[in-house]
Amino acid sequence: MSVRPPTLREKRRYLLARIEPCGVPLEAKDLYYTIHEAATSLWGDMMVATMHPAVIALEEGYAILRCRRGTERECTIALSTITTCRDHQIALRIIAASGTIESLRDRIGVMGSYVPQGRVRALNEECTFDTRTFEVVHCDGHKLDVIEKGFKNTHRLFLTTEDLEEK
Amino acid sequence: MMITDACVFPYPNGLSSVRRMAQEAAALGFDSIVAADTPSCTAGDIPVFFGLMISAQSVKEVTTQVKRGNGPGVIVSVQARDNGFNRAVCGMRGVHILRDIHLADKYAFDHVTAKIAAESGTAIDLDLSPLISGRGHVRQKAIHRYLDILTLRYRYKFPLTISSGARSVLGMRSVREISGICSIIGMDEEDIEQALGGVAETTAPKEMPVRVIS
């Protein structure tokens, strides 16, 4: 099928979402299936067919998503019902909607990348909380994400630097 | 108006510390949160209220726990059970919120309970966790129950609260996302705004009736 001229193409909107928690390993394909499942579960096949959601890119901790123009509201509600993706607990925080991918990329540039950082405490540094030993996996400002040491597949704990000082 | 998440579960009930949850709540547009079994404090520049979550089998047990735990800055929430229990709890002094109504049976909240809740100012909590993380039957049941509650609310005007029921920062949702989710169950902007301010409404000192002094 030949490419349609711009005036005949369907109008689309692009959504920028931050992927929480920071540094969770996600594949675009897995996220696509997750979004599809969430949207279908909430709105049904008819609405999802109209919405036509897709994952454009996963960049620097953000996801650029696509939907048909006029269905942004339904799409964002469906995105807010996403809790897991491939056994990873996640949340998508919608930041912006735009008519072009370029403007969303500019927005990412302004906000800065959302990748694991060790600003106050070094990554993989050990710390103690509630008499247990944890490993720092992300530290940005006062926010601190840790995983308990010595166990596989344990949950991530979301703390602040003040919590470690106190316990 | 103070926008409040009526129930979150910080560590050790959940996976986030209360400070982190408060920080996240502030970033998501909330003015305060009610944290289950966590002492009142100020964290992340927003007040955190002590949420006393009562899950009792009998009304007597609720009365005992309310007497023991109630105090300034404490938000008392009682888990809904059968109809008789809910009627008694809604009219009980010191109880602020009736929660988990979606888990109670179909006839647990009727027009009489709604009237009692309106008269005593007890709020009914709409827990959004079954709408967010539930799928299929669980979500459908919650939507059905909430629609039923909203029908009664339009008639009797009892207060509502909205809670995310989050056990970590990942379960928390922004005010805008909550508005979107609540629109599924037919709440308009005004309803959502009132419900988000429901905790402040239900804990505010009751206006005294007009007295003739001469």
Side-chain angles (χ1 to χ4, degrees), chain A residues 120-139:
Chain A
V120 180
R121 283 170 178 267
L123 293 181
N124 304 321
E125 185 187 325
E126 281 186 17
C127 58
T128 309
F129 176 71
D130 205 14
T131 68
R132 287 185 288 165
T133 310
F134 293 89
E135 193 177 294
V136 176
V137 288
H138 174 60
C139 180

Side-chain angles (χ1 to χ4, degrees), chain A residues 37 41-42 73 77 80-82 89 91-93 130 132 143-145 157-159 162-163 166, chain B residues 11 15-17 19-20 23-24 28 131-133 135 139 169-170 172-173 177 180-181 183-184:
Chain A
E37 184 273 329
S41 165
L42 187 65
R73 182 185 152 271
I77 294 172
S80 64
T81 65
I82 290 173
Q89 285 211 331
L92 296 177
R93 306 270 189 236
D130 205 14
R132 287 185 288 165
K143 294 178 180 176
L144 194 70
D145 297 0
L157 238 63
F158 302 92
L159 310 172
E162 288 171 349
D163 293 317
E166 202 173 74
Chain B
Y11 186 85
L15 295 171
S16 302
S17 69
R19 285 197 186 93
R20 182 67 183 269
Q23 276 187 11
E24 193 74 16
L28 294 173
L131 304 185
I132 293 169
S133 56
R135 296 285 187 270
R139 183 189 273 161
V169 290
L170 301 179
M172 298 175 86
R173 295 290 179 267
E177 285 173 320
I181 294 164
S183 69
I184 299 171

Side-chain angles (χ1 to χ4, degrees), chain B residues 16-59:
Chain B
S16 302
S17 69
V18 66
R19 285 197 186 93
R20 182 67 183 269
M21 283 191 137
Q23 276 187 11
E24 193 74 16
L28 294 173
F30 287 93
D31 298 322
S32 61
I33 55 171
V34 178
D37 305 326
T38 306
S40 298
C41 61
T42 302
D45 298 332
I46 65 165
V48 178
F49 297 111
F50 175 25
L52 178 64
M53 306 294 164
I54 298 174
S55 182
Q57 295 291 336
S58 67
V59 179

Side-chain angles (χ1 to χ4, degrees), chain A residues 79-142:
Chain A
L79 292 176
S80 64
T81 65
I82 290 173
T83 52
T84 52
C85 179
R86 273 261 173 170
D87 301 332
H88 295 292
Q89 285 211 331
I90 63 158
L92 296 177
R93 306 270 189 236
I94 307 295
I95 293 166
S98 174
T100 62
I101 300 171
E102 202 55 42
S103 65
L104 295 182
R105 291 212 163 109
D106 290 344
R107 190 88 181 237
I108 293 174
V110 171
M111 290 186 298
S113 64
Y114 191 63
V115 291
Q117 290 169 342
R119 283 187 186 160
V120 180
R121 283 170 178 267
L123 293 181
N124 304 321
E125 185 187 325
E126 281 186 17
C127 58
T128 309
F129 176 71
D130 205 14
T131 68
R132 287 185 288 165
T133 310
F134 293 89
E135 193 177 294
V136 176
V137 288
H138 174 60
C139 180
D140 185 12
H142 290 294

